[in-house]
Amino acid sequence: MVAALLNGPITQNLIHDVNERRVYIMTYRIKRIVGADGIVVLQISGRIEDPDIEIVRELIESETASKSTVALDLRNVTLVSRDGIKLLSTVEEKGTELRNCPAYIRDWISREKHSGTM
């Protein structure tokens, strides 16, 4: 699935039946841009919530596995779950740049790091 997602803009607006009683609506967009400097920028718009985190993680891992330098542009992120914050903190520690990170996300990452819950 990840290979198919890497070919052009990625748009998710799907309803997934996680089990018979729960339905999740995934609403986000990821656009892959390769800059002149060779850095792969994944522009995320919308929400980074629990059902979506694994896809975002796989995209980042597939880019770094191919030895690409990766940056996440978070300018248009509107909502992030706690697990999303953990993901962002982890990938940043591993060298992924968080560009245009909204202040509330940066503050939450800092608080989580200092509280020791990550």
Side-chain angles (χ1 to χ4, degrees):
M1 178 173 165
V2 171
L5 294 176
L6 290 175
N7 296 325
I10 303 158
T11 303
Q12 296 289 334
N13 192 1
L14 307 171
I15 298 176
H16 283 277
D17 290 313
V18 175
N19 61 40
E20 291 180 20
R21 288 178 240 144
R22 296 179 78 173
V23 175
Y24 290 103
I25 299 175
M26 300 167 54
T27 309
Y28 62 96
R29 176 185 166 112
I30 301 174
K31 185 174 181 182
R32 181 182 184 269
I33 299 169
V34 180
D37 54 4
I39 295 176
V40 175
V41 179
L42 300 176
Q43 292 179 330
I44 303 175
S45 301
R47 302 173 179 185
I48 304 174
E49 296 182 290
D50 296 349
D52 315 322
I53 291 169
E54 194 56 39
I55 292 171
V56 175
R57 181 189 329 274
E58 287 179 20
L59 288 169
I60 295 167
E61 287 175 358
S62 70
E63 292 292 348
T64 55
S66 67
K67 309 239 187 266
S68 298
T69 301
V70 179
L72 299 179
D73 186 334
L74 304 175
R75 177 186 326 259
N76 296 314
V77 170
T78 57
L79 181 74
V80 181
S81 69
R82 184 168 190 193
D83 286 337
I85 292 294
K86 289 179 183 180
L87 171 67
L88 294 174
S89 177
T90 300
V91 300
E92 185 177 42
E93 285 177 5
K94 291 181 179 180
T96 298
E97 179 185 356
L98 302 183
R99 293 184 178 176
N100 302 308
C101 187
Y104 81 95
I105 294 174
R106 176 57 60 205
D107 183 54
W108 195 1
I109 289 171
S110 295
R111 283 185 289 143
E112 287 291 325
K113 283 181 181 178
H114 294 297
S115 72
T117 59
M118 295 194 126

